[in-house]
Amino acid sequence: MEFRTIVNIPHPAFKIEPCERILFVGSCFADNIGKRFQEEQFRAMVNPFGVMYNPVSVLHTVKKMENCNFDTAMFTLGTNHVYVERATGEIVDNCKKRPHRLFEERELTIEECSDALCEAITLLQQANPKIRIILTVSPIRYAKYGYHGSQLSKAVLLLAADKLMKEQGETVYYFPAYEIVNDELRDYRFYKADMLHPNEQAVEYIWERLVDTCFSAEAKSFLEEWRPVKEALGHRPFNPESEAYRNFLQKTKETVIKLKLKYPNLKLNL
């Protein structure tokens, strides 16, 4: 008997390679996944101007960046709700604790979401025409909209992502993080205490599905080789001055040197 509904994830036309340059922009879920990539020695940049929840704010981040030369970019979309500054008519990324009366809340349409993401992709392609784009919708629900309102917001983002995929072809790939949490992990034990945010176990499971689906064989091999080094570097000795610990460090350094020879893009320094 099956007690879960497993999400079938199609493989992208591309594969993520070891230590490649990846940009993460989006909701706090982008922070969680992006930091995991950094821990695994990818050259990842994560929300350089802070968390961005809607597609227009994602575009604002890309516009503000001086260096947009990445191999892959992941946009994690949280909501289609935006705040417009009444005085300028511009969508703001952060109200910066200014009075609520200065802003008007509205919802982006499917076309507005898609157009903003399309413009962001175009800007990234100017730096690297071969860049690949991964779109995902954050599984975090927004209780302040009401749960029906939150679902409507996610629906707009899902339709915008689908529209963009059809227009952009194999350059854009949709990874179903939202569906994994809501269909595979349909249990509150996979949530934090607020019952809204996925917990570490859920994020780890999504990471595993992402690796299985999107990583090349070489990238998967690197993760296996990197794991013992990562564990060694996280080790806290009882006596850091001991001969045994010095030998331990020396062996770790030798392993890192071998990894650098095999994976030239590995930038770790000891």
Side-chain angles (χ1 to χ4, degrees):
M1 296 177 66
E2 282 289 342
F3 293 97
R4 286 194 303 160
T5 51
I6 304 298
V7 175
N8 181 33
I9 308 176
H11 289 265
F14 56 84
K15 293 295 182 182
I16 294 174
E17 300 296 339
C19 309
E20 73 172 39
R21 302 163 299 178
I22 306 182
L23 172 66
F24 293 85
V25 184
S27 70
C28 49
F29 185 74
D31 272 352
N32 293 333
I33 293 295
K35 287 175 183 176
R36 182 58 190 271
F37 271 80
Q38 290 176 331
E39 292 172 2
E40 304 301 341
Q41 295 303 299
F42 288 86
R43 292 172 289 165
M45 179 177 289
V46 183
N47 278 331
F49 301 104
V51 172
M52 300 293 161
Y53 294 100
N54 66 79
V56 171
S57 291
V58 169
L59 170 59
H60 290 168
T61 288
V62 175
K63 281 184 172 180
K64 287 189 285 188
M65 293 181 62
E66 294 181 3
N67 180 11
C68 291
N69 193 6
F70 297 93
D71 303 301
T72 304
M74 177 180 279
F75 296 151
T76 300
L77 312 175
T79 178
N80 72 324
H81 286 242
V82 298
Y83 287 91
V84 180
E85 189 170 15
R86 295 182 188 273
T88 64
E90 295 181 354
I91 293 173
V92 298
D93 304 326
N94 191 318
C95 295
K96 298 180 180 179
K97 298 184 179 180
R98 289 181 288 171
H100 190 271
R101 68 177 182 275
L102 300 179
F103 304 94
E104 177 185 4
E105 184 177 3
R106 76 173 184 88
E107 299 171 30
L108 298 174
T109 65
I110 296 169
E111 288 71 22
E112 287 174 320
C113 291
S114 177
D115 289 348
L117 295 171
C118 185
E119 186 176 348
I121 292 170
T122 300
L123 291 172
L124 291 171
Q125 288 174 330
Q126 290 174 4
N128 179 10
K130 295 182 179 180
I131 191 170
R132 297 83 55 90
I133 308 297
I134 299 175
L135 294 179
T136 189
V137 172
S138 170
I140 299 168
R141 295 171 295 159
Y142 291 92
K144 66 179 181 178
Y145 303 151
Y147 294 118
H148 179 62
S150 179
Q151 289 290 77
L152 292 176
S153 177
K154 300 293 185 182
V156 170
L157 298 175
L158 291 165
L159 288 168
D162 186 67
K163 180 175 184 292
L164 202 59
M165 286 176 60
K166 291 174 180 176
E167 293 172 351
Q168 297 277 340
E170 294 182 343
T171 298
V172 175
Y173 169 74
Y174 177 75
F175 180 79
Y178 177 79
E179 291 80 358
I180 289 172
V181 171
N182 285 279
D183 288 304
E184 285 194 44
L185 307 182
R186 255 188 290 166
D187 193 298
Y188 282 116
R189 73 178 185 271
F190 296 113
Y191 287 84
K192 293 182 178 180
D194 64 2
M195 297 294 123
L196 297 173
H197 290 74
N199 62 17
E200 292 181 1
Q201 189 177 20
V203 173
E204 178 65 21
Y205 181 75
I206 292 169
W207 162 259
E208 291 176 0
R209 296 297 306 272
L210 184 64
V211 169
D212 182 60
T213 307
C214 299
F215 280 37
S216 69
E218 188 178 15
K220 293 175 183 176
S221 177
F222 169 76
L223 292 180
E224 291 301 315
E225 295 176 73
W226 164 247
R227 182 177 293 112
V229 179
K230 179 182 174 183
E231 292 173 354
L233 294 175
H235 176 67
R236 294 294 178 264
F238 179 75
N239 182 5
E241 304 300 325
S242 67
E243 182 68 23
Y245 184 63
R246 284 196 291 270
N247 290 337
F248 174 80
L249 279 182
Q250 184 58 38
K251 289 181 180 179
T252 301
K253 288 180 180 179
E254 291 171 0
T255 304
V256 169
I257 291 171
K258 291 178 182 178
L259 278 178
K260 283 187 172 184
L261 290 174
K262 186 173 182 180
Y263 303 99
N265 289 327
L266 180 61
K267 300 300 181 183
L268 180 67
N269 293 311
L270 295 179

